[in-house]
Amino acid sequence: MVDQVSIVRATSEQLDAAALLFASYRQFYGLADNQTESRKFIQERLEKQDSAIFIAYH
């Protein structure tokens, strides 16, 4: 059995998923858990299109 992985470039539709991943990334590196700021940061990146954010769904 082969597991399927789908990779998508994040848009505003994936904002919540991307923000959650970013907040988890910050926590992993010992930074404060601030999901509101993480969401705001990712939203700004997507709106300004100054980052390419990809999410893999398994």
Side-chain angles (χ1 to χ4, degrees):
M1 182 168 109
V2 177
D3 290 333
Q4 295 292 322
V5 175
S6 174
I7 300 173
V8 298
R9 185 170 180 169
T11 65
S12 59
E13 292 179 21
Q14 290 82 26
L15 174 58
D16 290 334
L20 179 61
L21 288 170
F22 185 63
S24 297
Y25 166 85
R26 288 176 44 84
Q27 287 177 359
F28 178 81
Y29 284 100
L31 299 173
D33 177 17
N34 191 333
Q35 291 186 14
T36 301
E37 286 298 315
S38 292
R39 189 177 195 287
K40 180 180 173 186
F41 178 81
I42 295 299
Q43 184 174 20
E44 288 175 1
R45 304 291 66 76
L46 293 174
E47 287 174 356
K48 293 179 181 181
Q49 297 181 351
D50 61 359
S51 297
I53 302 170
F54 294 88
I55 301 175
Y57 293 96
H58 182 258

